[in-house]
Every structure is written in structure tokens, then in C-alpha cells.
Amino acid sequence: VSFVSAKSESHFDFIESKELNGQTEQIEREILPGFAPDEASWEINSAAATMSVPGATHSKKGLEHDRVFGGVKGRRKSKKDKLREGAAKAAQGK
């Protein structure tokens, strides 16, 4: 059993692609009663987790791979995380 949040969804997708060897099928996700996510908040947080800062370059494996193997990060949001979140909110507002 894995509990997936909006912020960890891209990491879960990365694990799926790695374990399923690039197959297009996904592991079936179910929502438990009483734990239904707020869709608007989920969209914003999920988009913020996958957005890159303009001008930043990442490896061919993608942003989530770089986050996983990029070192240890503290609990506070970095400047890049705040920019990603703001860009995601702006994209949702259009």
C-alpha cells in the first residue's frame, strides 16, 4: 500500500516507469472513502511539483530523477520550489 499525495505523485510516476520498464500501463489507484483529495488543490500542487524553473536544465531522465538523486533537501521550500508553485498557480488561473 502506498499513499500518494499531490507533491509525491511525480515521484510515484518515476518509480512506476522504473519498475515497469517503461510500459505505458500504470498501477491502479484507488481513493479511500473519507480521504478524497480537493481536486483544485491537487492540480496546483501536482503541477508545481513537475514544473521547472525557466532556464534550468535537467538530465534526460527528467526533473523527478534529478530531485531523487540530487542530494538532501531541508523541509523549507527553496526559491525554485516557490517559483514553481507560483508558476503553477498562474497557469491554473488562466
Side-chain angles (χ1 to χ4, degrees):
V1 175
S2 296
F3 293 100
V4 180
S5 68
K7 291 182 181 180
S8 66
E9 183 180 28
S10 61
H11 180 69
F12 191 73
D13 290 341
F14 173 69
I15 293 171
E16 272 184 337
S17 68
K18 191 173 183 179
E19 293 299 320
L20 296 175
N21 296 322
Q23 297 175 2
T24 56
E25 59 188 64
Q26 289 185 335
I27 296 172
E28 184 179 338
R29 291 168 173 84
E30 67 179 88
I31 299 173
L32 299 175
F35 291 97
D38 176 27
E39 291 296 325
S41 174
W42 184 277
E43 291 283 329
I44 291 171
N45 289 331
S46 179
T50 58
M51 291 185 83
S52 179
V53 175
T57 56
H58 302 285
S59 68
K60 292 179 184 177
K61 295 186 178 183
L63 174 63
E64 188 55 41
H65 176 271
D66 293 348
R67 283 188 180 161
V68 171
F69 297 103
V72 178
K73 180 183 169 192
R75 291 181 180 249
R76 290 178 41 192
K77 290 182 184 177
S78 69
K79 187 174 182 179
K80 287 183 182 179
D81 286 340
K82 291 176 186 175
L83 289 171
R84 282 187 196 102
E85 201 170 69
K89 283 182 184 178
Q92 291 294 324
K94 290 183 179 178

